[in-house]
Amino acid sequence: YKLLMPAQRVSKSFKDISMSFKFNPLSGDLITLKNENAIARAVRNIVSTTPGEKLFDPDFGSSVSEILFENVDDITAVSIQDEIRSSLSNYEPRVELIDVEVDPNFDENQFDVLITYRIIGVDIPPSQLEFALLPSR
């Protein structure tokens, strides 16, 4: 006899501190981002953080900001796409990356980014994060 147990669904919740560092007027605690919002903020932070910017973890982040000063074209878009994939694979274990689209926007001198990912351990449809990357100093 072998007793079969039903499969258990793994469900997690995630919480991060808001980068605004504002306080909740009711509780006095720092405002937090929960679940999907926390993950979306973390993904965006990884892409926009330059290696060496985070104390005690000099490799954290991506080199996207350096690539943005190249020509706005398909070759640079592929470089940005590869860098985003690599940095998210290395620094965000809470997501399974489905797709990264980077399209050059010649009129605005920027790259339009669409990241599609699934949050691991949470039973929700895939999430998408869309933003524009443009060179800045």
Side-chain angles (χ1 to χ4, degrees):
Y1 260 122
K2 193 172 194 177
L3 185 60
L4 297 175
M5 299 296 291
Q8 292 183 346
R9 190 176 98 201
V10 177
S11 182
K12 299 178 181 181
S13 72
F14 303 104
K15 186 185 286 190
D16 287 343
I17 295 173
S18 172
M19 296 305 289
S20 69
F21 292 104
K22 292 184 180 176
F23 291 94
N24 181 324
L26 299 176
S27 67
D29 293 335
L30 282 173
I31 294 175
T32 59
L33 300 172
K34 295 180 182 164
N35 299 329
E36 298 88 11
N37 292 332
I39 300 285
R41 175 60 60 111
V43 166
R44 179 66 193 258
N45 285 344
I46 290 168
V47 172
S48 62
T49 301
T50 304
E53 207 173 337
K54 184 177 178 185
L55 293 175
F56 306 111
D57 194 354
D59 297 326
F60 180 86
S62 75
S63 299
V64 167
S65 61
E66 296 170 15
I67 301 170
L68 289 175
F69 289 97
E70 299 295 328
N71 292 329
V72 176
D73 59 20
D74 291 327
I75 295 170
T76 306
V78 170
S79 295
I80 291 170
Q81 181 179 359
D82 291 345
E83 182 63 23
I84 291 173
R85 284 182 186 280
S86 174
S87 60
L88 292 179
S89 297
N90 289 329
Y91 298 110
E92 188 47 84
R94 301 176 291 181
V95 301
E96 173 191 340
L97 205 52
I98 295 171
D99 192 26
V100 176
E101 294 179 32
V102 179
D103 297 313
N105 183 333
F106 303 105
D107 295 335
E108 300 293 326
N109 194 36
Q110 67 186 27
F111 293 91
D112 298 326
V113 178
L114 178 64
I115 302 172
T116 306
Y117 57 90
R118 183 174 291 109
I119 301 173
I120 296 172
V122 179
D123 191 20
I124 60 171
S127 300
Q128 289 189 321
L129 180 62
E130 189 173 7
F131 55 93
L133 290 171
L134 44 127
S136 64
R137 291 231 160 188

